[in-house]
Amino acid sequence: MAAYLNRLHHISLRVSNVDKVAHELVSRFQFRVFAARLTDRAKQLAVRRGSAVFVVNERARGAPQRLTGHESRVWSPVAGKHHQHFRNLYGAHAHYPVDTVSNVCFEVSDVESSSRALRDRGCEFLLPPTEVYDDSGTVTYSIVRSVVGNVCHTLVDTSRYRGVFLPGFCPVGTEDSDSDRSCPITHFDHITYACTRRSSADITRWYEKNFGFQRFFISRNEDVEDGYVLNHNGIGLRLTAMQYWKCSASGVKLHRDQKETDCKFVMAESLPEQGSNQVDTFLDEHRGAGIQHIGLYTEDIVATARTLSRAGVRFFSPPPTYYTESNENERSCCVCVQVGKQQEIREAGHDPHMLSPYGILLDTDVHAHNSPSQRYLLQVFTKPIFEEDTFFLELIERRGATGFGEGNIRALWRSVQAYMNEEQECGQSDCKNTQSGQHS
Ligand SMILES: O=C(O)C(=O)Cc1ccc(O)cc1
Ligand SMILES: [Fe+2]
């Protein structure tokens, strides 16, 4: 392994309208702006909910903005001077034609040695280790390109920094406790990439080799090379999942379902046999592979979905029969068409009427079924949040289940597919703001 990752530090979005996207995250998704970097050339807003931090960066218009060759050749840290050159600090440099989630930033203990090791393994750096400072201390960071579309990783060491976020950012608002029970989002649960065909195996190897990620299996029937393949009834999807093995989360209080402070990574590929689908749509509209969605972990998905729904967030919903009918065979049969989950929802101790207004899906871990401590997870998916049909968010509550619900993936797939078909019939992009597929 080349780089030891301590934890996920933040995720960067690059958008044409920072205020609009930040406002969406704040007014709808209940994030709070806690730091800002505003200069005549840059606008960066940092928003937080629990330990989930997004930085919303302004997307440069006009000529692509790149670091110059001179800057790339500088290897040893250059104290403090660099920040004058950068329109957007911490990994938001590269030009991209549409709004996008461009960077997953990891905290590491030693940026220099991690970067050197990654470079020796052939990784491409957009920025060598660089120091920036302000009155609250110093931070070292570098930026490495990933092997997935436009996604980059900033590696940052904040151990010598006492400020509210990162050098150059000013605190905004007052620190509050995030203890609001109506929206207990605590952290990023997973990041899902939309990948081009047959690229998942190489991507997995890249993360294993360079960052010590570990593969984990979504299904017992999953093949090591092929991943988890869903290829029937109109669903053509290959999923491969991995997580990073965190190294030093000592002192961090962990939630019972949170294994250390890890965040899972899921690679989704579309399979050609079943026709065009949501992964293809992402690749088209995003103009390449990238981050398709991010799962936000919540301790109470019903309360969170209610709060977000009242604030205007729109969710995908399965057909009403999902909550009113039961399909006993569904759990043991991987090819039959799903009808309903009423009984499964009740058996898990939930009321279908509480889940249906928001389109919340429930999936029991098949192998734990009938055991006294039934393991399941609850998920709900939002409509895309940028102009293009690309990036969306997900809420996830885990009740002992650590993977991804096979049944939920099918239910989500169908509701997204129905929505895409509807949009195609309308031929209007503003349909995504309507209440279609929504029961609330
Ligand atoms: O189930 C999840 O939350 C996943 O992240 C898996 C997944 C990935 C891509 C899709 O288009 C649909 C589902
Ligand atoms: Fe997901």
Side-chain angles (χ1 to χ4, degrees):
M1 190 206 316
Y4 290 91
L5 307 179
N6 291 349
R7 65 184 178 93
L8 206 157
H9 187 270
H10 70 268
I11 297 177
S12 274
L13 317 181
R14 279 171 33 82
V15 301
S16 57
N17 189 336
V18 172
D19 292 330
K20 180 162 174 274
V21 173
H23 185 259
E24 172 97 8
L25 289 169
V26 169
S27 70
R28 296 199 161 146
F29 288 91
Q30 313 301 309
F31 278 70
R32 186 174 57 80
V33 180
F34 71 100
R37 181 173 172 264
L38 305 171
T39 72
D40 49 356
R41 300 189 67 208
K43 187 184 254 184
Q44 295 175 278
L45 296 176
V47 303
R48 138 179 346 267
R49 184 92 212 167
S51 69
V53 174
F54 284 117
V55 179
V56 189
N57 300 278
E58 188 134 60
R59 174 154 70 87
R61 280 163 232 244
Q65 188 193 8
R66 290 186 197 285
L67 295 176
T68 65
H70 168 68
E71 282 162 335
S72 316
R73 276 198 301 275
V74 176
W75 183 248
S76 56
V78 180
K81 304 223 172 73
H82 261 101
H83 69 274
Q84 293 300 336
H85 300 302
F86 299 152
R87 183 177 280 182
N88 284 312
L89 279 170
Y90 310 113
H93 311 80
H95 172 75
Y96 206 74
V98 292
D99 286 5
T100 183
V101 183
S102 56
N103 190 305
V104 179
C105 174
F106 295 109
E107 174 94 38
V108 299
S109 305
D110 189 337
V111 175
E112 282 277 334
S113 66
S114 296
S115 304
R116 199 176 303 114
L118 289 170
R119 195 191 49 176
D120 290 347
R121 284 162 189 259
C123 293
E124 184 190 344
F125 275 79
L126 295 180
L127 185 76
T130 300
E131 276 191 4
V132 279
Y133 66 85
D134 64 15
D135 293 345
S136 301
T138 301
V139 154
T140 309
Y141 76 105
S142 66
I143 307 167
V144 61
R145 203 186 278 285
S146 86
V147 283
V148 185
N150 66 319
V151 179
C152 293
H153 297 297
T154 293
L155 308 179
V156 68
D157 169 14
T158 62
S159 61
R160 290 168 299 150
Y161 192 69
R162 301 170 310 277
V164 68
F165 185 48
L166 291 167
F169 280 80
C170 301
V172 174
T174 49
E175 202 47 60
D176 60 21
S177 64
D178 273 326
S179 63
D180 174 8
R181 298 317 297 164
S182 69
C183 186
I185 291 171
T186 55
H187 61 277
F188 292 123
D189 178 87
H190 64 275
I191 297 171
T192 297
Y193 291 145
C195 306
T196 51
R197 293 214 167 112
R198 283 274 153 211
S199 65
S200 300
D202 285 342
I203 294 167
T204 311
R205 274 191 284 274
W206 191 84
Y207 279 100
E208 283 172 345
K209 183 176 77 156
N210 295 314
F211 293 104
F213 280 53
Q214 307 235 335
R215 173 78 183 276
F216 75 90
F217 295 108
I218 295 171
S219 164
R220 283 210 177 162
N221 310 320
E222 183 174 336
D223 181 86
V224 182
E225 271 300 304
D226 289 346
Y228 175 44
V229 173
L230 285 146
N231 203 6
H232 41 71
N233 293 330
I235 305 174
L237 183 64
R238 181 201 310 284
L239 293 178
T240 313
M242 57 195 181
Q243 62 196 331
Y244 64 83
W245 217 241
K246 62 116 294 332
C247 311
S248 64
S250 51
V252 180
K253 192 167 174 288
L254 301 173
H255 184 261
R256 63 180 181 281
D257 286 340
Q258 190 187 353
K259 265 213 199 143
E260 313 283 315
T261 48
D262 61 354
C263 175
K264 298 173 171 80
F265 284 70
V266 181
M267 285 144 295
E269 263 181 42
S270 96
L271 300 171
E273 292 83 6
Q274 310 287 331
S276 178
N277 62 46
Q278 60 197 245
V279 174
D280 298 315
T281 302
F282 180 96
L283 296 175
D284 274 2
E285 298 218 2
H286 183 259
R287 318 210 189 155
I291 294 176
Q292 182 217 33
H293 77 263
I294 293 174
L296 301 171
Y297 188 89
T298 171
E299 293 172 345
D300 184 345
I301 198 169
V302 175
T304 305
R306 185 189 299 124
T307 303
L308 268 51
S309 174
R310 283 181 183 158
V313 172
R314 294 286 159 246
F315 298 109
F316 281 109
S317 290
T321 50
Y322 185 89
Y323 301 101
T324 57
E325 292 179 24
S326 295
N327 180 356
E328 256 309 287
N329 296 327
E330 208 263 328
R331 277 177 231 127
S332 54
C333 167
C334 62
V335 288
C336 62
V337 176
Q338 181 176 309
V339 178
K341 288 244 184 183
Q342 189 190 50
Q343 189 179 342
E344 195 178 327
I345 292 169
R346 289 199 196 286
E347 279 171 7
H350 286 268
D351 177 353
H353 296 109
M354 299 292 283
L355 307 188
S356 62
Y358 316 110
I360 296 169
L361 309 171
L362 181 145
D363 214 27
T364 311
D365 188 335
V366 179
H367 307 290
H369 188 65
N370 289 337
S371 78
S373 57
Q374 212 180 67
R375 292 189 290 200
Y376 62 93
L377 57 83
L378 298 145
Q379 289 169 289
V380 63
F381 300 85
T382 76
K383 301 265 170 93
I385 65 172
F386 297 150
E387 283 295 310
E388 293 79 17
D389 222 340
T390 52
F391 175 65
F392 59 92
L393 289 165
E394 168 193 337
L395 301 176
I396 182 163
E397 179 182 344
R398 295 183 182 279
R399 293 278 160 187
T402 52
F404 295 92
E406 299 172 45
N408 284 0
I409 293 165
R410 282 194 215 112
L412 164 69
W413 192 265
R414 292 214 176 82
S415 47
V416 174
Q417 221 57 45
Y419 160 74
M420 277 168 37
N421 295 344
E422 214 172 88
E423 275 217 316
Q424 250 165 22
E425 276 161 31
C426 281
Q428 305 248 336
S429 64
D430 60 356
C431 280
K432 70 171 134 237
N433 297 323
T434 68
Q435 298 252 342
S436 63
Q438 175 85 14
H439 304 300
S440 58

